[in-house]
Amino acid sequence: MHPDRTNLAPGLSISRLVCGLWQVADIEKDGSTIDPEQGANALQAYAEAGFDTFDMADHYGSAEIITGHLLKRMPVGSRRPVAFTKWCPEPGPMTRDVVRRGVQERLERLGTQKVDLLQFHWWTFEHPAWLDALHEMQAMKEEGLIGALGLTNFDAAHLGLALADGIEIASNQVSFSLIDRRAAGDLSVLSEKTGVKLLAYGTLCGGFLSEKWLGQPEPASIPDWSRSKYKRFIDTAGGWAVYQGILKAASDIARKHGVSISNVASRFILEHPAVAATIIGARLGENEHRDDNLRVFTFTLDDDDRALLGTAFAASTPIPGDCGDEYRKPPFLTASGDLSHHLDAIPSVYKAVPVPGRKDRWRVSSGSIWEPLAGYSRAVRTGDRILVSGTTATHGSNRCVAPNDAGAQATYILDKIAASITALGGRMEDVVRTRIYLRDASQWEPVSRAHGRFFSEILPANTLIEAGNLIGDYEVEIEAEAVLEAQ
Ligand SMILES: NC(=O)c1ccc[n+]([C@@H]2O[C@H](COP(=O)([O-])OP(=O)(O)OC[C@H]3O[C@@H](n4cnc5c(N)ncnc54)[C@H](OP(=O)(O)O)[C@@H]3O)[C@@H](O)[C@H]2O)c1
């Protein structure tokens, strides 16, 4: 018996249980490196058992090199393994050269002519160069260097924006488990509408969703990085007792079907219509759970099972926000915890400059050709007030992003407003007023929803106006005003 398969993109058949290789980085964290031939032996055993799809990233230790050794052994035909990797650059200008070098390095480490699935991660949407990176990768896909293009840790709004800007996306790799069910929300709705598939990771919460932890007391500390991340998710979802309730429900269901808790955890996610596959981390040369994981394909969950899980979920607190937020905003639910230092270290796309001759005034410009021509700044700070000009979805000097999609344009605009306010020393939480101008009043809802994703807890005063004749392809224009907290 082999795992079920699915087509992720035309011509790309994958195992529905993908073998995750982040664990290679964990094994190598003391500076040692797994011998690539021995590593390839371990991968070959997975591939021959039908677990022939491997998930890697630029920062997963020597995982790409090990898989490259395997691909050399099994280069062609129906037995050729499938290699997913990720490129996770630091935000900065994504020129043609930068992007090509990033992708080329993946090809060299894998020793292949084409990456089967290249997944892109971006740390902060306040830096808009992610769209340049995706357009360049799309060009490389058209040249045959990338088989399919994927994203990782993108929320529904930015996935929608990428699609509306003409990028062909096959998949989005996100956290999705019995504990973290955010992906069942807006992302699944978008997935159903657009066909972009979800690849679920963390489905076993690093091993927390297994018999090993059933009825166990809460550990005082967790030495393992990956597990400490999932413990943060457990804490945020309501704590140890709530988690034990979900584990107990999964255990009852598992006993009924004669399978394991991990099988139930994987099955629940695999039965979700948006999900193409779940990724299960594998510790090469250490623990193997292949035989157990194969049992995922021996049963299906029935209404009673779902009702039992539903009751356990009702006692939990939904993980806040959308997928990927754990990397970008509080509560940071990553292995290293609070990432705000990392995010603070990322250079802003805008530079605040003091206004000559004024003691208490700064401004930022976005480089639009119209700012010097028409005589205005992107945003101005005077004392504790920040005023952001009417902002459109202009990318670079004059390209309109996501033509015809008012909701996607609003998302892009609000990222730009956030970046302007940050550059001037404020935060979106300081915004006290926004004003939205719409070309077509019928588009009020997607724009309002985009506004709500940024402001549902900040609740500034807001005005929505039909402006009719916005210039160019712009569907929407937004302005904002912020008042900084007294220091
Ligand atoms: N895109 C991203 O940002 C991102 C983030 C995290 C992970 N990922 C990807 O997703 C992969 C998996 O996620 P993850 O590493 O976070 O953890 P995971 O898959 O939730 O957990 C993996 C751990 O679960 C245990 N396990 C596996 N099968 C089991 C079974 N049948 N019964 C009991 N325990 C079982 C193993 O622990 P033991 O070895 O201790 O037994 C294994 O190391 C990674 O390798 C990586 O490829 C991507």
Side-chain angles (χ1 to χ4, degrees), residues 100-377:
R100 288 192 176 246
R101 255 187 282 124
V103 177
Q104 196 57 43
E105 196 188 22
R106 315 277 63 74
L107 289 167
E108 279 160 20
R109 281 165 64 91
L110 287 164
T112 51
Q113 308 287 317
K114 180 172 89 173
V115 181
D116 295 322
L117 176 73
L118 184 68
Q119 305 160 104
F120 178 68
H121 174 93
W122 192 248
W123 292 99
T124 168
F125 295 118
E126 285 187 24
H127 201 302
W130 63 277
L131 276 176
D132 299 328
L134 284 177
H135 279 286
E136 192 59 38
M137 286 189 274
Q138 172 128 311
M140 297 180 83
K141 177 171 162 307
E142 280 151 24
E143 291 162 29
L145 298 166
I146 294 171
L149 198 50
L151 301 172
T152 178
N153 299 312
F154 267 56
D155 56 25
H158 291 88
L159 168 59
L161 171 50
L163 294 168
D165 205 39
I167 309 291
E168 288 159 29
I169 307 288
S171 60
N172 186 20
Q173 184 181 132
V174 292
S175 162
F176 197 5
S177 69
L178 296 177
I179 302 292
D180 175 12
R181 303 179 302 279
R182 291 172 299 172
D186 289 350
L187 262 181
S188 291
V189 174
L190 187 64
S191 165
E192 208 161 305
K193 214 164 86 188
T194 60
V196 174
K197 287 295 178 191
L198 302 182
L199 296 172
Y201 70 78
T203 303
L204 303 183
C205 286
F208 271 122
L209 294 175
S210 70
E211 276 73 12
K212 200 155 121 189
W213 290 95
L214 183 65
Q216 294 301 311
E218 182 168 0
S221 69
I222 302 192
D224 175 290
W225 261 50
S226 169
R227 253 176 226 139
S228 63
K229 168 172 96 169
Y230 293 114
K231 176 65 166 49
R232 285 179 212 275
F233 274 96
I234 288 170
D235 295 344
T236 310
W240 198 252
V242 167
Y243 150 67
Q244 284 291 333
I246 293 174
L247 205 55
K248 169 78 170 58
S251 166
D252 291 349
I253 297 164
R255 272 194 280 119
K256 176 174 127 188
H257 292 282
V259 297
S260 69
I261 292 179
S262 296
N263 293 155
V264 173
S266 299
R267 185 78 219 169
F268 180 78
I269 301 302
L270 280 173
E271 285 186 7
H272 198 282
V275 171
T278 65
I279 307 170
I280 298 185
R283 298 191 70 87
L284 300 186
E286 298 178 20
N287 311 342
E288 280 181 6
H289 298 279
R290 280 201 297 269
D291 290 344
D292 182 58
N293 287 334
L294 270 181
R295 290 192 194 100
V296 167
F297 303 104
T298 62
F299 72 109
T300 52
L301 296 172
D302 60 31
D303 290 348
D304 291 345
D305 301 336
R306 290 182 176 279
L308 199 59
L309 285 170
T311 307
F313 293 161
S316 69
T317 310
I319 303 288
D322 200 350
C323 291
D325 283 1
E326 64 271 34
Y327 288 95
R328 302 188 183 96
K329 42 178 126 152
F332 292 99
L333 298 172
T334 61
S336 54
D338 189 342
L339 282 176
S340 48
H341 295 305
H342 173 79
L343 294 178
D344 289 346
I346 293 172
S348 169
V349 66
Y350 300 133
K351 189 170 174 313
V353 290
V355 175
R358 301 298 299 248
K359 200 162 65 65
D360 207 12
R361 196 172 290 186
W362 297 265
R363 61 184 170 220
V364 295
S365 307
S366 62
S368 155
I369 50 170
W370 285 104
E371 284 165 9
L373 278 174
Y376 67 96
S377 300

Side-chain angles (χ1 to χ4, degrees), residues 5 14 16 38 44 82 95 97-98 158 189 207 220 223 241 266 271 283 328 347 350 391 448 457 463 465:
R5 301 190 76 77
I14 65 163
R16 290 202 75 202
Q38 272 176 22
Q44 189 164 342
V82 180
T95 60
D97 266 14
V98 169
H158 291 88
V189 174
S266 299
E271 285 186 7
R283 298 191 70 87
R328 302 188 183 96
Y350 300 133
T391 305
S448 299
E457 281 169 20
T463 309
I465 312 164

Side-chain angles (χ1 to χ4, degrees), residues 11 26 28 33 46 51 71 83 111 115 128 205 236 256 263 266 298 337 405 409 432:
D26 192 43
E28 295 181 340
T33 333
Y46 275 91
F51 295 84
L71 292 173
V115 181
C205 286
T236 310
K256 176 174 127 188
N263 293 155
S266 299
T298 62
D405 191 323
Q409 288 193 4
V432 292

Side-chain angles (χ1 to χ4, degrees), residues 35-111:
D35 175 75
E37 278 298 300
Q38 272 176 22
N41 290 344
L43 291 193
Q44 189 164 342
Y46 275 91
E48 284 168 354
F51 295 84
D52 66 349
T53 307
F54 299 100
D55 180 64
M56 295 158 277
D58 47 9
H59 59 287
Y60 288 5
S62 61
E64 291 176 326
I65 292 167
I66 295 171
T67 304
H69 279 246
L70 176 71
L71 292 173
K72 228 173 271 156
R73 293 181 193 175
M74 306 165 85
V76 283
S78 57
R79 290 175 66 236
R80 183 187 175 278
V82 180
F84 298 171
T85 193
K86 306 180 197 89
W87 183 47
C88 315
E90 285 295 312
M94 289 287 115
T95 60
R96 186 175 190 274
D97 266 14
V98 169
V99 178
R100 288 192 176 246
R101 255 187 282 124
V103 177
Q104 196 57 43
E105 196 188 22
R106 315 277 63 74
L107 289 167
E108 279 160 20
R109 281 165 64 91
L110 287 164

